[in-house]
Amino acid sequence: MTKTTFTFCLGILAAFSLAIVPGCGQSSTTTVSETETAEHDHEDGHDHGDHAGHDHGDHDDDHSHDFKSIDEVVAEVTELNKEIAKHMSDSNPSYAHGALHHVGEVLIAGEEMVAKMDDSETKAAAKASLESLINDFTAVDDTLHTSDENVDPVGKYNEVKESIQKSIDELSGVE
C-alpha cells in the first residue's frame, strides 16, 4: 500500500465514521469527496465491520490534529505506538487496527504542519522522519488488510518497531 493509498483509506475511514458505520469508526479532519467514496470498492476484502466488537484503545478520537509543534505530534505518535505495541505483544493485532489508522491521521496532519514550515534542515529532517513513520506504520497496517493467512502482523511490527522508535526519536529532536 502506498502513502497515497493509505491516505485514501484514511479518508474513506473518515467518511464512514461520519456516516456512523460500526467498526473502525474514527473521527478525522480528513475530507473525502463523494466521488472518491463511490470509487472505493473494498477490493482488499477487508470489512470494516469485522472488528466492530473490540476495543479501539484508550485514545480519544474526538480531538483536533491541528498541531502547533512537532512535540505535539511526537507525543501523540508515541502514545499510539505504545498502544499498537501492547496489542502486538499481546498477540491481538486486530485490536491495534484503530490506533494504526489514528496514527496515520496524526502523521498526515504532521506532514501538513511541516509543509508550512520555512525550508530548512529542520523541515527536511522532520519530513524524513514523518515519511519513515508513515512507511513503517503503513507496512503494519497492510498486514491487516490482506487475505493472505501467511502474513503476520505481529512479525511485521517487530520488523519495523526499531525503525519506528528511531524515527520518533529523530522527530523529537527537531524544532
Side-chain angles (χ1 to χ4, degrees):
M1 181 182 285
T2 65
K3 178 180 165 188
T4 304
T5 304
F6 185 64
T7 303
F8 179 74
C9 286
L10 288 174
I12 294 301
L13 180 67
F16 281 120
S17 71
L18 293 174
I20 312 175
V21 173
C24 276
Q26 303 286 322
S27 295
S28 171
T29 57
T30 308
T31 58
V32 178
S33 73
E34 289 178 18
T35 305
E36 290 173 323
T37 304
E39 291 173 2
H40 184 71
D41 64 2
H42 279 281
E43 66 189 52
D44 64 0
H46 177 76
D47 175 11
H48 280 173
D50 69 353
H51 57 277
H54 73 259
D55 177 21
H56 277 149
D58 298 328
H59 58 266
D60 176 15
D61 293 335
D62 296 325
H63 66 274
S64 171
H65 290 142
D66 185 21
F67 298 109
K68 305 293 184 234
S69 71
I70 295 292
D71 288 340
E72 290 177 5
V73 175
V74 169
E76 191 158 349
V77 170
T78 298
E79 287 306 308
L80 289 165
N81 186 47
K82 285 178 187 176
E83 181 180 338
I84 293 164
K86 180 186 180 323
H87 292 305
M88 294 299 179
S89 69
D90 291 345
S91 296
N92 290 316
S94 65
Y95 285 34
H97 202 189
L100 281 164
H101 283 246
H102 191 162
V103 79
E105 294 171 11
V106 170
L107 293 171
I108 290 166
E111 280 189 318
E112 292 169 359
M113 184 192 78
V114 168
K116 295 175 187 173
M117 294 170 69
D118 292 332
D119 285 336
S120 66
E121 288 181 29
T122 300
K123 180 178 182 176
K127 186 176 177 180
S129 294
L130 287 166
E131 188 172 309
S132 178
L133 286 165
I134 288 172
N135 290 337
D136 288 340
F137 283 118
T138 298
V140 176
D141 187 62
D142 283 350
T143 66
L144 297 172
H145 290 272
T146 183
S147 59
D148 185 350
E149 294 178 13
N150 295 320
V151 174
D152 176 22
V154 174
K156 178 50 82 176
Y157 181 77
N158 288 334
E159 284 178 30
V160 298
K161 70 181 179 183
E162 286 182 25
S163 175
I164 288 170
Q165 190 57 55
K166 179 181 176 203
S167 294
I168 290 171
D169 292 345
E170 289 170 352
L171 192 59
S172 67
V174 171
E175 286 264 12

